[in-house]
Amino acid sequence: MEERYDLNYYNYELPEHLIAQTPLKERSASKLLLLNKNTGETKDETFKNITKYLKPGDVLVLNDTKVIPARLIGTKEGTNATIEILLLKNKEKDIWECLAKPAKRLHEGTIITFGNGELKAKINEKQKDGIVEIELQYEGILNEILEKIGTMPLPPYIHEKLKDQKRYQTIYAKNLGSAAAPTAGLHFTEEILKEIKQMGITITYVTLHVGLGTFRPVNMDNILEHDMHSEYYMMNKETADILNKAKKEKRRIIAVGTTSTRTLESIMQKNGKFKESSEETNIFIYPGYTFKAIDGLITNFHLPKSTLVMLVSALSTRDYILNAYAHAVEKEYRFFSFGDAMFITDKF
């Protein structure tokens, strides 16, 4: 097996105290590590100074997905056993793909009751790895019910309770449907976005609803055997036109987050250009991949041995990424969802 296909090739040591448990008081107060993707050179900065490293003509692509309060705690009818459900993907009307815990207690036809009975779920189908398909039963508007009885689906490495639910949303979140936040966008403030626009930089949006594909752990020693789940994405014609024009004029396209990256690369890989699209992607980017859409990436620090470490390693090199991560550990950067940011670019 080639080294780049070995899961352990993407491992690194992270002291537990560097896993950010809560968001900072100020979104833009995060640290920012600049990485030259071609040379491996790094520079320490603060996120509020991100505009120093952007230039007129750049196009910044943000993911405007909005996280639903997708974590539901209910009881199984008949036994009152506690069941936790994480809504992952709305397949059609009230049919959802979910993660269930403990899934072994569930069978086709099982009914789970949430809240005071205002929401019920019937198990339609059990799949592998704790995934089930459910049909929701309720009266009224589902999003209003979820706001009332659901909670934000924070990753398992966050043990602190989130005091302000809005801090797990980007300030530009618009399209409901995500099971997790596109966390690279959490650092942006209205002031920074305004400053970026005033510099002559175009800001445009895509939507990718984050599901299991983004944060599911890789359990195969050979990463080529990893099964990526598909996630829904959307790009409108206005964004496609903006990006095609930027490509033609050789201006930089900078993705904010790996979700935006996966959307842009999926569309370019399929069409050879940016195109109005609304479909699913299970794109898996790892070293050896040739990027067709983006020139730079603003992102957070990712879990060891994750598909996202593989993605950023493909944009730079695995050695440059892990050296940058080692530097971030040494400088006590904060890691993962509520952690600090990184800008992988060509020059700074």
Side-chain angles (χ1 to χ4, degrees):
M1 180 169 60
E2 270 189 62
E3 201 170 32
R4 66 185 164 128
Y5 302 143
D6 185 350
L7 179 60
N8 289 307
Y9 191 55
Y10 303 96
N11 197 13
Y12 68 92
E13 292 296 319
L14 179 69
E16 199 168 328
H17 74 277
L18 295 182
I19 300 174
Q21 294 295 316
T22 53
L24 294 176
K25 190 176 177 186
E26 299 290 331
R27 286 178 184 261
S28 61
S30 302
K31 292 178 182 177
L32 174 67
L33 182 63
L34 295 145
L35 171 67
N36 184 314
K37 63 181 183 179
N38 301 318
T39 68
E41 180 191 356
T42 58
K43 181 179 178 183
D44 298 301
E45 254 293 2
T46 307
F47 194 85
K48 62 185 162 201
N49 293 333
I50 184 78
T51 50
K52 286 166 57 176
Y53 305 96
L54 301 173
K55 60 189 182 189
D58 285 347
V59 180
L60 213 57
V61 186
L62 285 67
N63 181 5
D64 64 6
T65 188
K66 191 170 186 179
V67 186
I68 54 177
R71 186 170 174 263
L72 297 163
I73 308 291
T75 54
K76 180 182 168 187
E77 281 194 0
T79 65
N80 280 342
T82 299
I83 304 291
E84 179 180 329
I85 291 284
L86 176 62
L87 301 174
L88 289 174
K89 188 196 295 182
N90 188 195
K91 297 181 82 170
E92 57 177 284
K93 203 166 185 303
D94 293 317
I95 308 294
W96 287 77
E97 181 182 271
C98 306
L99 263 179
K101 201 165 64 173
K104 64 175 183 283
R105 292 176 179 264
L106 304 176
H107 307 282
E108 289 178 19
T110 298
I111 303 289
I112 306 162
T113 303
F114 305 98
N116 295 317
E118 56 236 275
L119 182 66
K120 292 187 177 184
K122 184 177 89 169
I123 306 297
N124 280 351
E125 183 187 348
K126 275 186 79 169
Q127 298 169 7
K128 60 180 183 178
D129 301 328
I131 295 173
V132 296
E133 183 188 277
I134 63 170
E135 182 176 352
L136 293 178
Q137 303 165 354
Y138 57 91
E139 288 183 8
I141 298 168
L142 178 60
N143 288 332
E144 290 180 1
I145 295 168
L146 293 177
E147 287 288 345
K148 184 179 169 188
I149 65 175
T151 57
M152 283 298 181
L154 295 180
Y157 50 75
I158 293 178
H159 309 298
E160 298 270 337
K161 195 168 182 185
L162 184 61
K163 291 176 183 168
D164 179 3
Q165 300 284 315
K166 291 194 194 77
R167 291 307 306 275
Y168 197 57
Q169 299 277 22
T170 62
I171 60 163
Y172 47 82
K174 185 173 75 170
N175 292 315
L176 269 170
S178 227
T183 54
L186 296 178
H187 308 283
F188 285 87
T189 62
E190 295 287 4
E191 293 74 24
I192 288 177
L193 291 178
K194 186 179 176 185
E195 190 182 341
I196 287 170
K197 286 177 186 171
Q198 287 172 343
M199 288 174 64
I201 293 163
T202 303
I203 295 174
T204 193
Y205 298 90
V206 293
T207 304
L208 181 137
H209 292 322
V210 187
L212 197 61
T214 294
F215 56 85
R216 188 182 187 207
V218 182
N219 296 317
M220 302 293 185
D221 290 335
N222 182 344
I223 65 170
L224 299 182
E225 295 172 10
H226 177 64
D227 178 27
M228 284 288 280
H229 273 64
S230 63
E231 295 167 312
Y232 171 81
Y233 71 82
M234 183 173 61
M235 175 186 284
N236 63 28
K237 185 176 184 303
E238 182 189 0
T239 294
D241 290 346
I242 287 168
L243 294 171
N244 283 325
K245 189 168 186 283
K247 269 286 176 211
K248 190 177 176 184
E249 295 170 359
K250 294 188 164 45
R251 292 183 281 122
R252 293 195 305 178
I253 294 171
I254 297 164
V256 175
T258 55
T259 57
S260 300
T261 301
R262 294 175 72 241
T263 301
L264 298 176
E265 293 296 328
S266 295
I267 293 169
M268 278 294 274
Q269 191 178 67
K270 183 172 183 181
N271 305 293
K273 65 177 182 177
F274 296 108
K275 186 180 175 184
E276 184 177 8
S277 308
S278 173
E279 51 196 303
E280 305 257 328
T281 180
N282 64 349
I283 192 170
F284 181 14
I285 297 173
Y286 50 84
Y289 178 85
T290 301
F291 282 81
K292 302 163 189 68
I294 71 166
D295 303 293
L297 170 62
I298 296 168
T299 186
N300 277 21
F301 293 90
H302 305 294
L303 274 71
K305 300 198 284 190
S306 64
T307 60
L308 302 182
V309 166
M310 296 167 202
L311 185 153
V312 293
S313 295
L315 183 59
S316 177
T317 72
R318 173 263 189 187
D319 288 348
Y320 289 165
I321 290 293
L322 293 193
N323 286 342
Y325 274 42
H327 173 84
V329 167
E330 185 188 338
K331 296 291 183 182
E332 301 233 312
Y333 276 65
R334 302 165 81 246
F335 278 64
F336 307 158
S337 295
F338 289 136
D340 296 316
M342 187 177 191
F343 184 13
I344 305 170
T345 182
D346 50 355
K347 47 181 170 285
F348 49 80

